[in-house]
Amino acid sequence: MGALDRFLGWLRAGYPTGVPEADYVPLIALLRRRLTDEEITDLGRELIDKDLIPADRVDIGVGILSRTDEVPSPEEMHRVGERLRAAGWEVEGPARPAEQGDTGQGPSSPT
């Protein structure tokens, strides 16, 4: 069952007689577009290629905005930052616990 099917099942369970008009806008907000894993990898590579590492919130946010045409959510910012960190790249912003032996140098791509 895909994400859309799960959402429709949840929607039908919550609104068995149909969605009231006043609930349309809040429900549409739930359908916010998320970056795919491939788009996150592409954004990471773009930040590396443009020598924007250590990446900051502005660089990450601009990259997300260019792909989604939406202001990035804190969740999307976190997803991209975590992907870069997992690949060994430094990301400016909220501190993460330092790992023993962490030098801040990373691999050539955020995969």
Side-chain angles (χ1 to χ4, degrees):
M1 179 185 284
L4 182 59
D5 291 326
R6 287 191 307 272
F7 176 77
L8 290 174
W10 172 81
L11 188 62
R12 288 182 183 125
Y15 295 98
T17 60
V19 177
E21 193 170 315
D23 288 351
Y24 287 168
V25 172
L27 287 172
I28 295 299
L30 294 174
L31 298 175
R32 187 177 178 100
R33 184 181 176 312
R34 286 179 44 136
L35 291 176
T36 64
D37 288 339
E38 293 81 20
E39 288 173 317
I40 292 174
T41 299
D42 180 58
L43 174 52
R45 287 188 181 125
E46 177 182 314
L47 293 170
I48 293 164
D49 291 346
K50 290 183 176 181
D51 200 26
L52 295 173
I53 299 293
D56 64 22
R57 296 182 60 77
V58 172
D59 298 325
I60 293 171
V62 167
I64 293 170
L65 179 65
S66 72
R67 286 160 175 78
T68 65
D69 292 323
E70 295 180 3
V71 175
S73 69
E75 177 188 72
E76 287 296 281
M77 299 287 289
H78 178 75
R79 287 179 66 216
V80 173
E82 286 304 304
R83 176 71 66 85
L84 288 167
R85 286 183 182 113
W89 292 102
E90 188 176 336
V91 177
E92 294 177 0
R96 70 179 172 111
E99 297 173 13
Q100 189 172 12
D102 188 358
T103 64
Q105 301 299 315
S108 60
S109 68
T111 56

